Amino acid sequence: AMSRSLRSLWRASGRLSGGRFVALVASSTLATTAVIGAALGGAGDSALLAALANLGVAGAPTQASPAAAGQAPPTAADAALQAAAPAAPVAPRPAVPARSNTPAAVLDRPHGPSSDAGSGPSQPPAWPYAGRVKHVFVVTLHSSGYDSAFGERSQMPYLATTLRPKGALLSGYSLIDAAGLPNYLAMIGGQQPNDQTRAECPRFNEFPAGAKPDRQGQVPGSGCVYPVEAITLADQLNSAGLSWRAYVEGMADARGPRNCVHPGLNTDDTTQSESPSHEYVARHNPFVYFLSLLDLGACATNDVPLEQLDVDLGKLATSPSYSFISSDLCRSGAEPTCADGSQGGPGAADEFLAELVPRILDSAAYKRDGLLAIVFAEGGGPPADGGDSKRVGALLISPFATPGATLAGDYDAYGLLRSTEDLLGVSRRGPRSAASFAPALVGDRD
């Protein structure tokens, strides 16, 4: 397991300069728990970085990155589990680091506050909307059109009649692309669609060798699996000392629960088979498309089956700062008829919400300082009423939201990312023009 971990780190190191590689190492759960725990006996980041320097990783300093400060050390059992996380039968639960309302230095700040490269971290900026909401839950579904969800003849009565009065409706929330995968990728990585992602990536292709983000953080060209320099919201949260998890339905099957399920690099995506044996599809799990999470193990540790959600919600201390919840093909509403012959469509998605949402709203994390965002990440073509196929709507439920309110701004997946960053106090990514609903949700501190 130690050898596999070191090989993964070595492969990633070849794509990064020393400083950025060290930042990624410090933010990676696998690097800091599996390698340190298994190879260095819990000696800490200094020993890890010294070992990397001895292996020939250029630029590895002798001090631990500030981003890793304050994280709880792993237990021996956690280290052993995390070292074999891709095939682990039980999802290990990492220690939840202490939260701070002031963001730490982050991996990259193309749209955040300015800092001088090479002169050390800049003074932490003021984040006027951070600090009130400390637990963000994002639930993603398939849309059959705005009216199907929120109209007078809604096909989702639990969403439209039970939940709608509890929260604020983003009536102008729209898809950025008709295909689903570009919306999922934008939610966590701010990346723009390309030819392959618009085709839902039937092959799990890496970007061409040498592809790197431009000054705006966008990876040019066409591909599906983004290079390690393409930083995600998950990387930002790791760097800021905040916890995250993706809870994805369908990754627990007859073989047991498995974490971070994805096709082999540059192979066909067999989860998109026309006759799937189960309902999990990789394209509903955007975290598996970023090497920054695959190569250094954060995906293997934090991308877990949906069944883990109830365990983590049981205590405030184990509830992540950011929870991304994705249903399978059937219960997202993407299939008119599910693989088992049961009824799919909007009704199945509504039933999924009726089972899931009460558990979230009853959790200590939500009641204390939570936000639940119910969003649609994909659509099924032009709606029956002839309306805008990309306008899908979204619902924000929170102790800070005005019940029954409507926020009529133009929002999308980039805006969801921007809003999450603003609320949790990490630097901004994605297009500069993305609108944040954070001001409307929580207002100014003063």
Side-chain angles (χ1 to χ4, degrees), residues 52-336:
L52 292 174
N54 290 334
L55 288 171
V57 178
T62 57
Q63 297 295 322
S65 166
Q71 293 185 359
T75 65
D78 282 342
L81 282 172
Q82 291 163 356
V90 178
R93 186 187 313 153
V96 177
R99 293 181 182 85
S100 170
N101 291 340
T102 303
V106 294
L107 305 181
D108 195 358
R109 295 180 182 267
H111 306 311
S114 60
S115 60
D116 296 326
S119 61
S122 61
Q123 184 70 20
W127 298 88
Y129 309 116
R132 296 187 182 182
V133 172
K134 294 185 177 66
H135 294 90
V136 175
F137 302 88
V138 175
V139 177
T140 62
L141 298 169
H142 178 98
S143 173
S144 296
Y146 178 87
D147 285 339
S148 175
F150 299 107
E152 293 181 0
R153 299 181 179 179
S154 171
Q155 299 178 58
M156 303 180 69
Y158 178 74
L159 174 63
T161 63
T162 301
L163 296 182
R164 167 67 181 95
K166 297 178 183 292
L169 174 65
L170 300 182
S171 60
Y173 190 96
S174 299
L175 302 176
I176 62 172
D177 194 88
L181 184 56
N183 295 283
Y184 279 102
L185 296 173
M187 287 180 186
I188 69 159
Q191 294 295 326
Q192 297 175 352
N194 63 55
D195 291 345
Q196 293 191 43
T197 60
R198 283 193 175 102
E200 305 279 18
C201 287
R203 282 185 61 83
F204 202 62
N205 291 331
E206 292 184 83
F207 273 75
K212 293 183 179 180
D214 60 20
R215 292 179 62 86
Q216 306 304 318
Q218 298 293 317
V219 180
S222 187
C224 295
V225 184
Y226 288 81
V228 73
E229 297 94 338
I231 303 305
T232 69
L233 174 62
D235 297 300
Q236 295 169 269
L237 294 170
N238 283 338
S239 180
L242 299 175
S243 53
W244 69 274
R245 271 199 159 173
Y247 301 94
V248 187
E249 190 170 33
M251 291 201 302
D253 56 24
R255 293 168 289 183
R258 295 185 298 151
N259 294 2
C260 191
V261 175
H262 61 84
L265 291 175
N266 304 309
T267 67
D268 290 342
D269 181 0
T270 56
T271 69
Q272 298 192 42
S273 170
E274 292 183 2
S275 300
S277 58
H278 56 87
E279 297 278 0
Y280 170 78
V281 285
R283 68 175 186 266
H284 284 188
N285 187 359
F287 300 88
V288 304
Y289 291 86
F290 291 90
L291 287 178
S292 67
L293 303 176
L294 293 177
D295 276 1
L296 295 178
C299 181
T301 303
N302 293 323
D303 193 274
V304 301
L306 180 60
E307 289 79 358
Q308 183 66 29
L309 177 63
D310 285 340
V311 177
D312 292 350
L313 288 180
K315 296 180 180 179
L316 182 64
T318 55
S319 297
S321 301
Y322 176 77
S323 298
F324 184 94
I325 302 167
S326 181
S327 53
D328 63 21
L329 271 176
C330 174
R331 303 217 294 169
S332 71
E335 295 181 319

Side-chain angles (χ1 to χ4, degrees), residues 402-419:
T402 301
T406 297
L407 305 180
D410 294 329
Y411 300 104
D412 56 19
Y414 297 129
L416 177 63
L417 172 61
R418 172 67 57 88
S419 304

